[in-house]
Amino acid sequence: MSFYTKSVFVYLLLLFSLNLFAQKEIPVLQLKVTPLVPVYNPVLFDSIDVNRETFETKNLLKTQIDFQTVRNSRNMLEAGADSIFKLEYAPYDSKIPARDKAVQLLAFSIDADRYCRAELKIVSTDRLEVYVNNQKKKSKETKEDSLSKAQPLTIDLTLEPRQYEVIIKRLTEVKNFNETQLKLSVKPEKKDSLAEIGVSIDTKRRATINDILEGNRLRSGSLSPSGQYFIFTTMNVFPGGKSTTEVELRELKTNKKVCSLPAEIFPQWVKGKDQFIYSKAGQDGKNLFLFDVASLNETRIAENLNFDYFVLSPDARFLLLSVTEKLPEDKGNLKRVLSPSDRSGAYRGRQAIYLYSIQDQTMQQIIFGRTEIRLSDIRFDSQKALLLASEEDITHRPFSKTMLLEMDLKTLQLDTLLNDPFISGADYSPDGNDLLISGSGEAFGGIGLNLDEGQISNTYDNQVFIYHLKNKEVEAISKNFNPNILGFQWPDYDHSIYLRAEDKDCVSIYRYDLKTKQYTRLDLPEEIISSFSLADTQPLALFRGENNTNSFRLYAYDLKTKKATLLADPFKEQLDEMALSPVTSWTFTTSDSTTIDGRYYLPYHFDPNKKYPMIVYYYGGTSPTSRIFETTYPQQVYAALGYVVYVVNPSGTTGYGQKFSARHVNAWGKMTAGEIIEGTRKFYREHAFVDSTKVGCIGASYGGFMTQYLQTQTPIFAAAVSHAGISSIASYWGEGYWGYAYSGTASAFSYPWNNPDLYINQSPLFSADKINTPLLLLHGTADTNVPIGESIQMYNALKILGKEVEFIQVQGENHIILDYQKRIEWNKTIYAWFAKWLKGQPEWWDALYPVR
């Protein structure tokens, strides 16, 4: 029997025995071990140390040894029939230096199926230290001749449903290297007798919230104009939340490191050259530096400038700087609100544009006024620039005016090209004769719309247009293109435009051929492409991608050979430790013949003959639930906790075409809720491994609203979680910093005074008496997007109605929970709620929130 087969057999045997003998002591029968490492008594220069203590043999336990050695070890030790380990293992050298001692690491894992308490008992003849998940728990400082004389070392454990690594560092003496005895066992507390606890040396473990927050991850990548070099940034987050950032310059062809660069730089490559400019903090502002890759020389080109960001001109002769200027604050203790958006604080800021001449080292403002001005692009010859000017227009949807301006950078003459509130960005074509403009389908009088009669466009569904400067004609090139466009690039070496777009629940790169007017999806080895940059002079690209089962990876892509080459995968080592769930696509057809996409994750150690509880997750806002590993609501972690996870992308989601996303407008759950309910029912009827009486649901923001609304429409859910959910559409519309602006899409042309039925009938608060599902409300106390009052209203209503509801406030957090420790506690609150209502295991919730 192979080592691996033995491990699996023992692990399964233990799990089987637990079902028969709950609460019995569970012996540890296998250990991973390292070879013995010699240690020596120090030279006793003095008889006492600085603490006036004498040297004792037990002090050698302080010898540091890398725990990774036992994690990587392939050496295994098995206990005898009496469950006792006899530590007969050869040292590195068959001749350990005489007279001295040795240390050795031993390791195994504990895995519980639920929150519970247990006792780890260790009986050993050696001195030892015990570590659980890298934390030292207890020490044994005595040595005995037999187990009968040794005092047991007991460690109380509080176990969550995850794997716990136990590492024992033992100190043994030369004369009994092969005589040490050790006995290990784990026993659940009496009240947790139903807990199934496994012990093994299995290297694969459950994914946890810590895996979502911690580890070494790729953050960004940037390709040089020649395609010969690239810069990439990684961030390593350690347990506790501290992090380090590393930036490297590498050769693309060999992937060899050229040099390290300062952390937190945002380089801009000089067009056509392997040089880049970046900023660093100076004494009274920011200093700008030019870095030449060939010589590795850094030259300071500007000192003590104050700006928010800069764009380098194509000829590298000047920079256009964006500088924030603010309207004056009111004096005294009172503040006059100038506009609905003034409440956010950002309203009083204006972006002004300055030009910095690298040659003359002068900085001058090129536009003066109160209007918000944003730089969009600089023409290839550095002669002209595109600027977007915007002003609030609160009386007309979309509540702002937008002008596209072109400035002659020599004369500063300003021409208005377009006046259209529905455009959002513009870039020059490589020859400067055309513009590629982004905006909603309503731009240019609606020529890009592709809707059914009576539908209103979802303005979060982005389109692109080609605007010909010479004849002012417009082409709506994405009118019949379903993916939602997130960004674009127009290189000068082929007749194509490259677009990054939400493609159902993926993010893909498409090539638009300007001659054939056809779209082609690039076949890239990731489902979510988060960045894609092209070289200036040859058909090479650098992209960053991830999917359901891996973190971000960096690739080079040859546009001619269509070959992708992996360059960096910093999270791989940690990812390889996890037993991730396979992800399976699942679609269904609704009663009105609409196809609804979805996917599902299977529980950890899935057994098709068992029944499992299920969690249903859906979008917040109108973006699809993408196939990403590092989501705020980590489906892989839910699966690791023992749930089937069903993710659904119902009507209103972008990435499926304009007609589909327009269903979000003026609906507020009318169609979406029915699709979620229908999909959930069809899913558990088609999958016998789902316990249909134990189905929960979770959503945030608009998804939090959907959680609340669903409970007014159906009894199928046994538990529900609403994070930052909207309970009253009217109060959210009026009180959220961006409530009225978001409602400009979600409730287009509908207001409380002209469509009260929408604002009342679709608000969960006004149907609170219909809610019978145990509901957990989570909300950041500093949420400016969806004010915490939305949860307060629903909590008060359900309390008055005598319904099962809990309300947990996350102190100091906004719409998204960002603080490391709070995010862990917030996630565990969700896990404990589902464990209580979907598994009948209230212990975790009671431990977090005991009765007072």
Side-chain angles (χ1 to χ4, degrees):
M1 185 181 292
S2 70
F3 163 67
Y4 176 77
T5 305
K6 285 182 179 179
S7 302
V8 174
F9 174 75
V10 172
Y11 185 81
L12 293 177
L13 182 62
L14 285 170
L15 289 181
F16 176 73
S17 66
L18 285 171
N19 290 323
L20 297 178
F21 306 106
Q23 204 210 314
K24 291 251 178 133
E25 212 164 25
I26 306 155
V28 178
L29 302 178
Q30 289 182 313
L31 292 169
K32 291 179 75 171
V33 296
T34 63
L36 294 166
V37 178
V39 292
Y40 307 91
N41 289 335
V43 176
L44 301 180
F45 197 82
D46 295 309
S47 61
I48 59 173
D49 63 8
V50 293
N51 295 315
R52 308 192 67 80
E53 294 180 356
T54 59
F55 175 80
E56 298 181 44
T57 301
K58 67 180 182 180
N59 291 25
L60 293 175
L61 271 176
K62 297 178 182 178
T63 302
Q64 292 189 21
I65 180 170
D66 189 351
F67 286 177
Q68 201 60 41
T69 58
V70 72
R71 294 177 185 130
N72 296 336
S73 176
R74 296 185 178 181
N75 300 313
M76 181 190 71
L77 191 65
E78 294 197 25
D82 53 3
S83 302
I84 296 175
F85 291 96
K86 294 181 180 178
L87 301 179
E88 300 174 353
Y89 191 76
Y92 283 118
D93 192 327
S94 59
K95 294 181 180 179
I96 288 286
R99 306 173 306 279
D100 270 332
K101 320 288 187 297
V103 294
Q104 185 180 31
L105 296 181
L106 311 98
F108 70 97
S109 296
I110 302 172
D111 195 328
D113 74 326
R114 67 189 68 194
Y115 181 94
C116 63
R117 289 184 172 85
E119 179 186 82
L120 169 62
K121 185 164 74 172
I122 304 170
V123 187
S124 173
T125 56
D126 268 341
R127 300 177 179 90
L128 52 82
E129 290 180 342
V130 183
Y131 295 80
V132 179
N133 284 1
N134 292 317
Q135 292 187 346
K136 182 180 173 181
K137 292 297 183 181
K138 281 190 176 180
S139 298
K140 177 179 177 292
E141 298 178 344
T142 60
K143 187 181 79 67
E144 292 78 28
D145 296 328
S146 65
L147 282 184
S148 61
K149 297 179 181 179
Q151 279 292 108
L153 195 68
T154 61
I155 298 172
D156 292 328
L157 300 174
T158 298
L159 303 177
E160 297 172 1
R162 57 173 294 180
Q163 188 182 79
Y164 290 82
E165 177 189 64
V166 179
I167 293 180
I168 299 170
K169 179 169 63 175
R170 76 167 179 125
L171 172 66
T172 188
E173 298 185 26
V174 124
K175 64 181 181 180
N176 78 330
F177 276 153
N178 297 324
E179 297 174 9
T180 296
Q181 290 185 316
L182 176 68
K183 188 172 184 179
L184 302 161
S185 63
V186 180
K187 182 179 180 180
E189 283 189 0
K190 184 177 180 180
K191 67 176 183 178
D192 292 323
S193 61
L194 295 177
E196 293 185 0
I197 298 176
V199 292
S200 74
I201 58 171
D202 190 356
T203 57
K204 291 291 186 179
R205 58 175 178 79
R206 302 173 194 255
T208 71
I209 182 58
N210 298 81
D211 293 311
I212 304 300
L213 302 181
E214 299 165 4
N216 194 25
R217 283 182 167 85
L218 177 71
R219 282 293 173 253
S220 64
S222 176
L223 186 64
S224 73
S226 69
Q228 295 184 51
Y229 302 94
F230 68 97
I231 297 170
F232 79 102
T233 302
T234 57
M235 177 181 286
N236 196 0
V237 180
F238 303 102
K242 291 184 178 180
S243 64
T244 58
T245 300
E246 293 186 2
V247 184
E248 289 186 8
L249 173 68
R250 290 192 176 188
E251 287 184 341
L252 187 72
K253 187 175 182 179
T254 63
N255 203 12
K256 289 183 178 179
K257 179 179 175 180
V258 176
C259 66
S260 294
L261 297 170
E264 301 299 337
I265 70 167
F266 301 96
Q268 286 193 31
W269 292 98
V270 177
K271 188 173 179 60
K273 297 181 181 180
D274 287 330
Q275 299 175 333
F276 58 86
I277 290 178
Y278 65 95
S279 67
K280 290 192 290 188
Q283 182 175 353
D284 298 312
K286 297 176 182 177
N287 298 333
L288 289 171
F289 295 86
L290 174 69
F291 189 92
D292 181 76
V293 174
S295 64
L296 301 183
N297 286 334
E298 178 186 73
T299 306
R300 188 165 63 187
I301 61 173
E303 186 176 6
N304 293 328
L305 300 180
N306 289 298
F307 59 88
D308 297 302
Y309 67 90
F310 71 90
V311 176
L312 176 67
S313 65
D315 62 8
R317 298 182 64 183
F318 64 87
L319 307 171
L320 290 185
L321 308 173
S322 179
V323 179
T324 299
E325 299 176 343
K326 288 193 173 183
L327 297 175
E329 296 291 337
D330 295 303
K331 296 179 181 180
N333 298 319
L334 304 182
K335 176 183 176 180
R336 177 191 179 196
V337 177
L338 303 177
S339 160
S341 56
D342 187 24
R343 296 170 55 231
S344 69
Y347 171 82
R348 300 195 179 210
R350 301 288 190 272
Q351 292 299 311
I353 305 297
Y354 285 71
L355 187 148
Y356 178 80
S357 170
I358 295 175
Q359 180 178 352
D360 301 334
Q361 295 189 326
T362 59
M363 178 175 171
Q364 60 176 316
Q365 188 172 358
I366 60 174
I367 292 184
F368 179 84
R370 292 166 58 95
T371 303
E372 172 83 3
I373 303 292
R374 179 164 53 91
L375 174 65
S376 195
D377 195 19
I378 303 175
R379 203 168 69 178
F380 75 96
D381 57 5
S382 303
Q383 299 297 307
K384 293 189 176 184
L386 294 174
L387 306 173
L388 283 168
S390 59
E391 288 184 285
E392 189 173 68
D393 182 12
I394 197 65
T395 60
H396 295 88
R397 176 180 172 272
F399 310 125
S400 65
K401 296 178 180 178
T402 303
M403 290 186 294
L404 179 63
L405 311 170
E406 186 176 51
M407 172 177 275
D408 187 309
L409 294 171
K410 284 189 173 181
T411 66
L412 300 190
Q413 179 181 339
L414 205 59
D415 292 328
T416 301
L417 300 180
L418 295 168
N419 195 331
D420 193 323
F422 293 100
I423 63 173
S424 57
D427 279 9
Y428 283 107
S429 64
D431 59 10
N433 293 326
D434 301 308
L435 304 181
L436 188 60
I437 295 176
S438 60
S440 76
E442 293 175 73
F444 299 103
I447 65 169
L449 292 176
N450 183 3
L451 302 172
D452 288 333
E453 186 176 352
Q455 284 190 311
I456 299 173
S457 172
N458 182 335
T459 55
Y460 294 109
D461 202 330
N462 299 308
Q463 308 299 312
V464 288
F465 308 82
I466 294 178
Y467 179 78
H468 302 287
L469 287 168
K470 187 174 182 179
N471 58 20
K472 303 188 185 307
E473 291 183 355
V474 183
E475 295 180 58
I477 65 172
S478 63
K479 181 175 182 177
N480 298 305
F481 180 65
N482 284 338
N484 176 33
I485 297 165
L486 303 176
F488 48 77
Q489 294 174 73
W490 195 338
D492 55 9
Y493 48 73
D494 68 4
H495 298 285
S496 302
I497 298 170
Y498 291 85
L499 305 108
R500 190 172 71 91
E502 284 177 346
D503 190 9
K504 298 182 178 180
D505 60 355
C506 298
V507 177
S508 305
I509 303 298
Y510 280 86
R511 175 180 177 267
Y512 177 74
D513 190 308
L514 289 160
K515 292 181 178 179
T516 65
K517 302 187 184 302
Q518 297 295 314
Y519 285 93
T520 304
R521 180 181 173 276
L522 303 190
D523 186 15
L524 303 179
E526 298 289 355
E527 293 175 314
I528 302 294
I529 309 301
S530 58
S531 66
F532 186 85
S533 60
L534 295 160
D536 284 348
T537 58
Q538 57 179 314
L540 284 174
L542 191 77
F543 71 91
R544 184 179 77 145
E546 67 168 330
N547 60 44
N548 289 289
T549 55
N550 69 265
S551 184
F552 290 113
R553 298 188 282 211
L554 190 67
Y555 296 83
Y557 184 72
D558 189 311
L559 274 68
K560 284 190 174 180
T561 64
K562 300 179 181 179
K563 179 183 177 182
T565 303
L566 180 64
L567 299 173
D569 185 7
F571 194 64
K572 183 179 187 304
E573 184 176 314
Q574 184 168 330
L575 197 72
D576 286 345
E577 299 172 0
M578 295 174 241
L580 297 180
S581 169
V583 183
T584 306
S585 296
W586 187 80
T587 62
F588 73 95
T589 303
T590 66
S591 53
D592 67 354
S593 301
T594 301
T595 299
I596 301 297
D597 271 358
R599 62 185 185 273
Y600 66 91
Y601 303 70
L602 293 175
Y604 182 70
H605 285 165
F606 174 69
D607 180 349
N609 297 312
K610 288 181 62 177
K611 289 276 190 179
Y612 292 92
M614 183 169 79
I615 295 173
V616 181
Y617 176 63
Y618 29 79
Y619 70 78
T622 187
S623 298
T625 53
S626 300
R627 292 174 174 260
I628 57 177
F629 174 71
E630 294 158 325
T631 172
T632 309
Y633 304 90
Q635 291 105 58
Q636 285 286 0
V637 177
Y638 298 160
L641 291 168
Y643 300 97
V644 176
V645 184
Y646 170 42
V647 180
V648 59
N649 279 308
S651 286
T653 312
T654 55
Y656 291 83
Q658 292 186 57
K659 296 177 183 179
F660 195 85
S661 67
R663 296 182 177 189
H664 183 73
V665 182
N666 283 316
W668 286 96
K670 284 180 182 177
M671 184 176 295
T672 308
E675 292 171 349
I676 294 171
I677 294 166
E678 189 174 358
T680 301
R681 283 181 170 144
K682 286 189 174 183
F683 187 90
Y684 63 60
R685 286 168 182 166
E686 290 185 20
H687 299 90
F689 50 77
V690 176
D691 183 345
S692 62
T693 67
K694 299 296 182 183
V695 178
C697 61
I698 182 171
S701 194
Y702 185 91
F705 154 81
M706 185 55 62
T707 290
Q708 297 180 33
Y709 181 74
L710 281 167
Q711 310 324 307
T712 71
Q713 304 296 304
T714 181
I716 67 171
F717 297 108
V721 177
S722 168
H723 173 69
I726 300 161
S727 64
S728 171
I729 304 170
S731 58
Y732 165 69
W733 169 86
E735 294 182 14
Y737 278 13
W738 303 277
Y740 73 94
Y742 175 73
S743 297
T745 293
S747 316
F749 305 111
S750 293
Y751 301 98
W753 54 87
N754 68 7
N755 193 354
D757 287 348
L758 173 70
Y759 283 83
I760 294 175
N761 295 342
Q762 298 308 116
S763 292
L765 181 65
F766 293 91
S767 297
D769 57 325
K770 298 178 182 177
I771 297 178
N772 295 302
T773 306
L775 176 62
L776 172 63
L777 300 165
L778 296 162
H779 224 118
T781 60
D783 195 332
T784 55
N785 188 346
V786 179
I788 193 172
E790 293 301 313
S791 286
I792 293 173
Q793 293 179 123
M794 181 56 76
Y795 177 72
N796 290 347
L798 294 180
K799 274 296 186 181
I800 290 169
L801 290 164
K803 303 300 179 77
E804 190 68 55
V805 62
E806 291 282 356
F807 180 24
I808 305 298
Q809 301 181 14
V810 189
Q811 296 297 322
E813 291 296 292
N814 206 309
H815 198 53
I816 300 173
I817 311 303
L818 297 177
D819 179 82
Y820 170 89
Q821 189 57 41
K822 291 174 185 175
R823 191 169 170 187
I824 290 178
E825 294 169 2
W826 169 70
N827 270 275
K828 289 183 178 180
T829 296
I830 295 170
Y831 308 157
W833 183 255
F834 281 138
K836 177 177 181 177
W837 296 104
L838 301 186
K839 292 184 175 183
Q841 299 168 9
E843 294 83 3
W844 201 351
W845 181 268
D846 293 343
L848 292 174
Y849 305 103
V851 176
R852 294 179 184 174

